[in-house]
Amino acid sequence: MFGWTGVFLNVDLTRNKVVAESYDTTLALNFMGGRGFAAKILWDRLTPGIDPLSVENNLIFAAGPLTGFGLPNSGKLVVAAKSPLTGGYGDGNMGTQAAIQMRKAGYDAVIIEGKSETPVVLHIRDTVAEFIDAKDLWGLNSFETEAQLKSLYERTAGIVSIGPAGENLVKFATVVSQEGRAGGRPGMGAVMGSKNLKAVVFEGYNEIPAAYPKSMKELSAAGYREVMTKPNYAFWKRQGTISTVEWSQENSALPTCNFREGVFDKADKIGGFAMEKIKVGNRGCPQCNMTCGNVVKGSDRKESEIDYENIVMLGSNIGLGNLKQIAALNRFADELGLDTISLGNVLGFAMETSEKKRVPEKIQWGKFQETKALIEDIAYRRGFGDVLAEGVRSAAAKIGHGSEDWAMHVKGLEISAYDCHAAPAMALSYATSSVGAHHKDAWVISWEVQFGRKGYREEKINKVIEMQRLRGGVFESLTVCRFPYAELGFELEWYTKYLHAATGRELPFNTLIYTADKILNLIRAFWIREYASNWAKDMDVPPMRWFTQPLTEGPLKGAMLDPLKYDAMLNKYYRKRGWDERGIPKKSTLKKLGLSDVTKELGNYVKLND
Ligand code: PTT
Ligand code: SF4
């Protein structure tokens, strides 16, 4: 097989055993890699209903057929498991040297099951895997952990680790790499912690088999050159994702005070131009010349790599308008291994709940020191922090007193940094994303703003589906960064050329889209199998706040979503997807996608329609 290594590494932490397992071309072509492999493995191997933090869960690191070849933006890795936050399928995508090293070691995926008796580091060097005692590392933050491990291995080693949040099973703990790359929003760090796995070190010294190595090199060099010719390249290097702060403010989409408003009076102090004034450098994922991680020094004088999402969620959404303080909170979250998006939601929720006097704790908007202390309480599960460590869905259920009305999540995953009071298509995107409320699959809001945000017309549904196919399907299964395409207009044809050089196969775009639909439906089946009789259409509905509490400030004052129109839009989305009125794939849809085996299994949990 070319392109793929054709091998998964099974790691059993209970028995300290590893077994390399070859898989065939059919699996590769059917599921491609990354998210596709993760979904297939979790569907096949997990017993429905297991506790995500039990030994039975699998933690998966999966790459795609382009990972590690030196192609632009191909240093990405999917980390996946059954999510302890949502109870459904969970994954994330992080840029890390570990992606490249895993492939060079000879594996397309590493599947970790069981639980080590004591804290452990897994070291994989080509065909040799060892389990190293990690008692001395347990308790260290993710930066300290990586620094210690770095001193022990080759400079090229790829390391992923968890911080105290993962160890303490905070439900939105992430896996961290390279001081500021974080992946697995729906609690992949907690799954790693539940296995007593502090870190994985990957070292690989083999060539990844390419069908046409020479054209691979040429295409790679040409790709890097092409990226640099794109008109927005220079500005992207200056501001990366952060220019979106100004855009969101102009368009009333900037989450402010727990998504109550879409404008923030200190937006100019936390946007791209404010960031440029304190910027000290660029960092990025390996194999990338777009390096979009903007490094600034926070109020703690430590370096922090910031993006749009973490600025907004730890800034305007909690009423904090000081960029250096936001950077310090972001660095703190990276060290602890907490997802900044969920964290910003949880903090905003706590502030609003306190303001409304539904809890005795006094937590005020925009107070840096108090917020930092609360973040620490969350990571170490102290006091009220322990309640918040479960995520907003669970916290609201526990607190009650109507607090569900301002718990901003879909399916238990907290909302990313775009307010949708006046963005029905983006609301649909959050509501139907494969992991819960994440913008990664269909970031449709900029298109929606450009082409008319009012209305629920069919074109919007089509756009959501198109983006889910491309971003959530193609990019997550090839496991390459989507930013060259999404932000600079790097043409999609490049990827079919890369795929041909890597695999020796003509894999036209419509094949990739078909695979994307297959993966999305398999993930959908995973969710439905887990929720079984509790599965309901309202799981595909965004938070009530956007339907019931209009914006009270800014040019879109008064705006909110219309529940009846949203419902009609969702019904149409279901029909276009080949799902029934409950949002469950029909037998005919699964068959068309080559998922007939799924029909049989899923039919044991819910009644399927033809
Ligand atoms: C991603 C989510 C995002 S999406 C951001 S910022 W973004 C937040 N970053 C966090 C962080 O940092 N530290 C932290 N402790 N928690 C964080 N949580 C948030 O996690 C990321 C980039 C970005 S920056 C984005 S959009 C793109 N995402 C891609 C994707 O999902 N797929 C893909 N094929 N390419 C992508 N390219 C871009 O990568 P999750 P990274 Mg991240 C400090 O993992 O779970 O998917 O959540 O990986 O290496 O940091 O790169 O404005
Ligand atoms: Fe990583 Fe940014 Fe480069 Fe994408 S563009 S590979 S997120 S540094």
Side-chain angles (χ1 to χ4, degrees):
M1 214 181 330
F2 292 111
W4 296 274
T5 67
V7 183
F8 294 153
L9 186 70
N10 293 294
V11 179
D12 182 342
L13 287 174
T14 306
R15 293 175 189 79
N16 276 10
K17 260 180 73 175
V18 294
V19 178
E21 174 192 346
S22 298
Y23 67 89
D24 60 14
T25 321
T26 317
L27 184 84
L29 292 173
N30 269 323
F31 295 96
M32 200 57 66
R35 173 178 271 186
F37 283 167
K40 174 71 176 150
I41 294 164
L42 292 172
W43 172 262
D44 284 348
R45 297 192 185 193
L46 291 198
T47 306
I50 59 151
D51 174 356
L53 298 178
S54 72
V55 288
E56 290 162 286
N57 203 356
N58 285 191
L59 179 69
I60 299 168
F61 294 100
L66 302 181
T67 312
F69 277 119
L71 299 165
N73 312 76
S74 63
K76 290 271 185 186
L77 188 65
V78 165
V79 49
K82 176 176 171 180
S83 161
L85 184 63
T86 66
Y89 172 85
D91 75 15
N93 190 319
M94 69 202 296
T96 168
Q97 186 64 25
I100 298 159
Q101 296 298 313
M102 183 180 87
R103 290 262 290 161
K104 287 194 170 167
Y107 310 111
D108 291 329
V110 170
I111 305 155
I112 300 170
E113 61 174 310
K115 176 181 180 177
S116 172
E117 227 169 79
T118 52
V120 75
V121 169
L122 171 66
H123 175 219
I124 297 169
R125 184 185 164 117
D126 294 338
T127 53
V128 179
E130 52 178 346
F131 301 88
I132 299 158
D133 179 53
K135 277 196 219 82
D136 293 347
L137 295 177
W138 204 253
L140 297 188
N141 72 38
S142 70
F143 287 49
E144 294 161 342
T145 305
E146 187 155 341
Q148 288 222 9
L149 289 169
K150 251 189 181 156
S151 66
L152 300 177
Y153 299 100
E154 301 287 332
R155 203 180 40 84
T156 49
I159 301 167
V160 296
S161 72
I162 55 167
E167 295 175 8
N168 296 323
L169 311 182
V170 175
K171 297 274 173 73
F172 47 92
T174 54
V175 180
V176 185
S177 190
Q178 301 185 188
E179 303 190 342
R181 307 265 127 209
R185 289 196 52 214
M188 302 303 102
V191 175
M192 196 158 153
S194 74
K195 299 191 171 305
N196 264 335
L197 180 62
K198 181 65 180 170
V200 186
V201 181
F202 295 90
E203 285 187 273
Y205 296 95
N206 304 298
E207 286 285 310
I208 307 162
Y212 304 110
K214 191 164 164 275
S215 51
M216 203 69 179
K217 274 203 181 111
E218 287 164 4
L219 276 171
S220 174
Y224 280 108
R225 282 197 301 274
E226 178 67 22
V227 164
M228 289 165 70
T229 66
K230 298 297 178 198
N232 199 29
Y233 179 75
F235 188 61
W236 175 261
K237 291 271 282 191
R238 276 173 52 193
Q239 296 199 359
T241 58
I242 302 175
S243 59
T244 314
V245 174
E246 280 89 348
W247 180 89
S248 289
Q249 170 77 355
E250 273 163 32
N251 293 293
S252 292
L254 188 72
T256 301
C257 295
N258 197 27
F259 291 86
R260 270 205 302 230
E261 303 296 343
V263 288
F264 182 48
D265 57 4
K266 299 194 183 84
D268 60 325
K269 299 198 165 41
I270 63 170
F273 293 99
M275 181 279 298
E276 282 199 72
K277 290 193 187 128
I278 59 168
K279 178 170 172 172
V280 296
N282 277 78
R283 274 209 300 256
C285 311
Q287 298 179 339
C288 174
N289 62 348
M290 290 168 61
T291 49
C292 66
N294 286 291
V295 184
V296 300
K297 276 215 170 115
S299 56
D300 55 358
R301 294 174 192 273
K302 291 182 185 173
E303 287 191 350
S304 178
E305 191 180 327
I306 48 177
D307 281 299
Y308 169 76
E309 299 288 332
N310 28 57
I311 291 181
V312 173
M313 297 314 299
L314 298 176
S316 53
N317 199 52
I318 61 167
L320 182 61
N322 179 318
L323 192 53
K324 285 191 168 195
Q325 292 181 342
I326 294 169
L329 295 184
N330 176 64
R331 161 92 187 209
F332 197 38
D334 281 345
E335 288 176 348
L336 295 166
L338 285 166
D339 170 49
T340 51
I341 297 178
S342 288
L343 180 63
N345 270 278
V346 157
L347 294 169
F349 170 83
M351 289 164 186
E352 186 163 356
T353 308
S354 166
E355 184 186 63
K356 293 191 157 98
K357 300 196 176 5
R358 304 300 209 279
V359 285
E361 286 78 9
K362 209 161 175 284
I363 307 157
Q364 289 173 284
W365 299 104
K367 293 274 188 275
F368 172 70
Q369 285 302 350
E370 288 171 23
T371 304
K372 195 165 177 220
L374 183 57
I375 292 175
E376 195 170 280
D377 286 347
I378 292 170
Y380 290 93
R381 286 186 169 275
R382 297 179 199 128
F384 190 45
D386 189 33
V387 176
L388 299 175
E390 294 290 304
V392 291
R393 180 172 67 177
S394 168
K398 188 154 191 188
I399 294 164
H401 299 297
S403 59
E404 289 87 357
D405 287 356
W406 56 91
M408 302 301 288
H409 71 92
V410 174
K411 300 184 184 73
L413 182 69
E414 289 77 12
I415 304 267
S416 313
Y418 300 93
D419 185 79
C420 292
H421 276 94
M426 191 65 215
L428 180 69
S429 157
Y430 279 139
T432 58
S433 145
S434 286
V435 293
H438 203 315
H439 61 293
K440 67 193 285 168
D441 285 13
W443 186 66
V444 70
I445 194 164
S446 81
W447 173 88
E448 188 170 30
V449 166
Q450 199 178 347
F451 293 99
R453 55 206 296 182
K454 280 203 188 132
Y456 296 71
R457 52 189 197 279
E458 192 159 345
E459 204 187 350
K460 294 199 175 190
I461 305 165
N462 293 342
K463 198 70 188 173
V464 169
I465 293 177
E466 179 193 322
M467 287 198 168
Q468 286 176 334
R469 286 176 169 152
L470 271 178
R471 295 166 57 114
V474 176
F475 282 97
E476 292 314 304
S477 61
L478 296 182
T479 326
V480 291
C481 179
R482 61 170 186 259
F483 277 163
Y485 149 76
E487 302 296 336
L488 300 188
F490 187 69
E491 297 76 9
L492 291 171
E493 292 73 42
W494 283 93
Y495 298 97
T496 42
K497 285 188 208 157
Y498 291 158
L499 266 175
H500 179 251
T503 67
R505 291 166 191 273
E506 297 289 348
L507 292 166
F509 232 84
N510 54 6
T511 305
L512 301 182
I513 296 294
Y514 174 77
T515 308
D517 279 348
K518 189 199 300 268
I519 297 167
L520 182 128
N521 276 272
L522 182 60
I523 293 176
R524 188 80 179 176
F526 184 93
W527 277 93
I528 293 162
R529 186 173 68 171
E530 288 298 335
Y531 276 78
S533 59
N534 291 324
W535 179 266
K537 189 180 176 189
D538 62 11
M539 295 193 66
D540 290 333
V541 175
M544 274 307 113
R545 161 155 282 170
W546 290 337
F547 293 104
T548 54
Q549 299 165 37
L551 295 173
T552 67
E553 289 172 13
L556 293 182
K557 190 172 163 180
M560 63 178 167
L561 297 176
D562 180 320
L564 291 178
K565 287 182 181 160
Y566 176 82
D567 189 54
M569 189 187 208
L570 182 61
N571 287 338
K572 266 194 209 145
Y573 172 88
Y574 284 170
R575 281 200 289 279
K576 282 175 187 281
R577 280 287 184 198
W579 298 348
D580 66 17
E581 66 288 346
R582 300 163 297 169
I584 296 178
K586 292 182 180 171
K587 285 183 192 167
S588 50
T589 305
L590 294 171
K591 188 166 176 220
K592 202 170 73 192
L593 292 168
L595 294 171
S596 294
D597 53 332
V598 170
T599 310
K600 213 167 149 229
E601 162 75 358
L602 194 56
N604 295 326
Y605 298 86
V606 285
K607 188 179 171 318
L608 297 184
N609 289 320
D610 292 331

